[in-house]
Amino acid sequence: MLVPRCRTQLAVSFAALPLLAFLGACGTGADESASGLLFTNADVVDGTGTPRRVADVRIRGDRVVEIGDLTLEDNEIEVDATGLVLAPGFIDTHSHHDRGLTRMRDALAAVSQGITTIIVGQDGGSPLPLADFYAELEAAPAAINVAAYAGHNSLRSTVMGDDFRREATSEEVDAMRTLLRRELDAGALGLSTGLEYEPGIYSAPAEVVALAHEVATVGGRYISHIRSEDRTFFEALEELIDIGRETGIPVQISHLKLSMKSLWGRADETLALLEEARAEGVDVTADVYPYEFWQSTMTVVFPEREFTREVATFALAELVPPEGMLIAAFEPDPSYVGMTLAEIAQQRGKDPVTVYLELIEEVHAIDGRESIIARSMTEEDIAALLSWPFTNVSSDGSLAGRHPRGFGAFTRVLALHVRERGDFSLETAIHKMTALAAENTGLSDRGTIREGAFADLVLFDPATVADRATPTDPNAPSVGILGVWVNGERVYSGEGTTDNRPGRVLRRGGM
Ligand SMILES: [Zn+2]
């Protein structure tokens, strides 16, 4: 029998022996879930924010069934977790890890940093109809759970087509509302917007409010890449708060940041505004990723989409310096990928403003793809926004992207903000990655380790856990994550992904 042999061979310390040895001794992870699993002597950080405690945790099937001082039973595999932290699997409330997920179903980028659930359909973009996306995922599941918002930009594109550079008519808003209702009925968590992007940037605030009212009828929620992350940042926050005020639904700010020189140091003012809204009864929350640079398009810092010298000069002075703008994609000349605007300007023998405008023109001429990574935040501001009690951690990352957040956001918070900077405790950090994230997205039975909850778990070494991904090596897996389980099945061993694909589609309210 395979299982009893495992039982004796597996009482080993994870700290001393890589989990792969465990995998080698026992065959596939499927044996674990069939027989049950007992984590012994773990430092359990349960997601609620309360101090860790040493305990044993028993899993049967897809659930945690017992926590306490437990005895190994027959046909049960022991995982000796002495000296290691056992936490709920991380919930990434702003993820793009669905891109390519049907091809990269092991989701290495996500699971290797401890993520077990991703929330997609962000920045106003979602697969339409979600019912088809869900059916595809259920026919060929991934390693991780997936929940989604319905995206405003996707709805708007479907209704308005190419004629989108204007406010929508009331008939068009009604048509969007009908489509949105279909998505909500399929299980969408609510509505996401990307108001700094086409075509949503042309919408009137009233259009978004009308759609948010539809969300309110089913008890959903709203999440937004707000209308401006720089020049009119505070007005954009007010727009989001107004939506919460008028419709009563929870509203979340995606990747909250202070990304303009004149906004640096103004975290207190920002959080005071949000606290004031909360005191008034508006359920406003935020998510933050722990990097000083964002990734977006070259044109996102031109709010009027007028590519003049004046706006470009302002952008390079206030929003992203030429040496801080790294090209992540550039279809007209892929050799620019990995270079900064400053380097390209030097190569062309021209000033950065001129070259910036040239690059935009070149990409538009072929309707090509482009993307930049732009350094425009400070670590102090990030720490302050991340420390707000209603901020949860997100990655904004993807499976094979150029921004290191795709592989390192969560582990970076543990290494930088907990261990190095001491901005908050490990228990608080885990809370921001799990129970708070579940609350901010309306997911139930996930995000805490308790009897009856789903067995989404991550085992890590708190002394060594760290991100390794950088802008020049963005797909480097983290270290210190020793095992990840989704719905009771192991998907990551600490050395690599397993063959298990236990991920589920999570619909609003468990529907
Ligand atoms: Zn965004």
Side-chain angles (χ1 to χ4, degrees):
M1 283 291 291
L2 187 64
V3 170
R5 184 165 67 86
C6 284
R7 178 179 163 173
T8 52
Q9 289 191 358
L10 292 176
V12 293
S13 161
F14 273 61
L17 195 70
L19 206 53
L20 204 62
F22 174 45
L23 181 69
C26 283
T28 73
D31 295 323
E32 289 176 9
S33 56
S35 48
L37 201 58
L38 185 71
F39 294 91
T40 54
N41 276 316
D43 278 355
V44 176
V45 177
D46 67 6
T48 61
T50 55
R52 73 192 82 180
R53 61 182 175 121
V54 176
D56 308 320
V57 176
R58 172 165 284 136
I59 296 177
R60 282 283 185 280
D62 62 1
R63 305 272 179 164
V64 171
V65 293
E66 225 178 338
I67 303 166
D69 187 3
L70 309 175
T71 310
L72 190 67
E73 293 178 356
D74 287 343
N75 293 333
E76 194 167 53
I77 291 173
E78 179 181 4
V79 178
D80 182 352
T82 306
L84 303 177
V85 168
L86 185 66
F90 304 153
I91 297 171
D92 187 351
T93 65
H94 187 102
S95 166
H96 299 287
H97 288 107
D98 55 323
R99 292 179 191 150
L101 185 60
T102 51
R103 281 179 291 107
M104 295 174 270
R105 293 193 294 130
D106 67 342
L108 173 68
V111 298
S112 59
Q113 57 175 312
I115 296 168
T116 55
T117 296
I118 58 170
I119 316 293
V120 304
Q122 301 289 349
D123 299 307
S126 63
L128 291 185
L130 275 173
D132 289 357
F133 174 63
Y134 291 161
E136 196 180 359
L137 274 172
E138 284 172 337
I144 47 177
N145 302 310
V146 181
Y149 287 91
H152 171 230
N153 289 342
S154 302
L155 302 171
R156 201 169 203 265
S157 289
T158 304
V159 169
M160 298 176 73
D162 289 338
D163 180 23
F164 62 80
R165 286 181 182 79
R166 57 178 175 82
E167 292 186 3
T169 64
S170 61
E171 289 76 20
E172 286 165 336
V173 174
D174 284 347
M176 284 181 232
R177 208 166 158 157
T178 302
L179 276 178
L180 173 60
R181 183 59 192 228
R182 182 192 70 188
E183 300 303 288
L184 292 168
D185 288 344
L189 301 180
L191 178 71
S192 90
T193 58
L195 299 175
E196 218 173 18
Y197 296 118
E198 284 81 359
I201 193 169
Y202 298 101
S203 65
E207 171 180 328
V208 183
V209 171
L211 296 175
H213 274 298
E214 189 63 37
V215 173
T217 65
V218 300
R221 52 192 60 234
Y222 177 77
I223 190 166
S224 181
H225 175 137
I226 57 176
R227 209 176 279 271
S228 169
E229 293 196 316
D230 40 69
R231 294 173 187 79
T232 55
F233 172 69
F234 289 104
E235 289 90 326
L237 287 180
E238 292 286 3
E239 180 181 4
L240 175 127
I241 290 165
D242 272 343
I243 289 167
R245 189 181 284 129
E246 285 192 37
T247 65
I249 64 176
V251 292
Q252 177 148 15
I253 305 152
S254 294
H255 41 64
L256 178 61
K257 59 172 79 80
L258 294 168
S259 59
M260 181 163 85
K261 268 188 194 162
S262 57
L263 288 174
W264 290 354
R266 295 172 73 180
D268 286 354
E269 193 183 332
T270 303
L271 296 176
L273 180 77
L274 302 182
E275 283 290 352
E276 204 178 300
R278 287 192 66 89
E280 201 195 301
V282 178
D283 183 359
V284 58
T285 58
D287 62 68
V288 166
Y289 60 76
Y291 294 89
E292 293 158 64
F293 36 92
W294 44 258
Q295 181 171 10
S296 187
T297 61
M298 283 181 179
T299 59
V300 73
V301 294
F302 294 80
E304 314 295 334
R305 299 298 188 261
E306 282 164 6
F307 305 107
T308 62
R309 273 199 83 81
E310 191 192 345
V311 182
T313 303
F314 175 84
L316 295 183
E318 271 288 323
L319 309 178
V320 48
E323 60 283 359
M325 186 192 293
L326 186 75
I327 308 298
F330 190 71
E331 211 175 316
D333 187 349
S335 75
Y336 285 164
V337 173
M339 291 176 73
T340 64
L341 175 63
E343 288 165 345
I344 298 168
Q346 196 176 27
Q347 201 179 77
R348 292 190 178 189
K350 295 176 185 170
D351 68 280
V353 170
T354 303
V355 174
Y356 188 16
L357 294 171
E358 283 177 0
L359 294 180
I360 290 170
E361 209 179 302
E362 288 160 26
V363 85
H364 282 174
I366 63 161
D367 201 14
R369 225 173 63 78
E370 54 85 1
S371 176
I372 56 170
I373 292 171
R375 186 173 292 276
S376 71
M377 285 90 89
T378 73
E379 201 170 283
E380 284 306 315
D381 287 341
I382 294 167
L385 297 177
L386 200 50
S387 299
W388 189 46
F390 304 96
T391 298
N392 64 262
V393 178
S394 69
S395 78
D396 202 4
S398 47
L399 290 175
R402 292 283 313 183
H403 195 298
R405 63 195 179 191
F407 273 77
F410 284 73
T411 41
R412 183 172 171 80
V413 170
L414 297 175
L416 177 66
H417 291 284
V418 175
R419 220 171 39 230
E420 279 176 43
R421 292 179 46 97
D423 292 317
F424 34 74
S425 68
L426 179 68
E427 285 83 352
T428 296
I430 296 297
H431 177 63
K432 289 174 175 294
M433 297 173 177
T434 59
L436 182 63
E439 199 181 313
N440 288 353
T441 45
L443 296 182
S444 51
D445 290 341
R446 299 189 194 268
T448 51
I449 297 181
R450 60 168 171 73
E451 289 169 13
F454 285 102
D456 292 348
L457 298 166
V458 54
L459 186 68
F460 65 90
D461 183 347
T464 62
V465 65
D467 57 309
R468 282 286 174 268
T470 62
T472 47
D473 189 9
N475 296 344
S478 302
V479 292
I481 300 285
L482 302 173
V484 179
W485 288 259
V486 173
N487 297 312
E489 292 185 47
R490 196 178 55 224
V491 297
Y492 186 68
S493 72
E495 299 281 318
T497 52
T498 71
D499 294 332
N500 294 326
R501 302 288 180 262
R504 296 182 189 165
V505 171
L506 308 182
R507 294 173 175 82
R508 190 186 66 261
M511 62 191 277

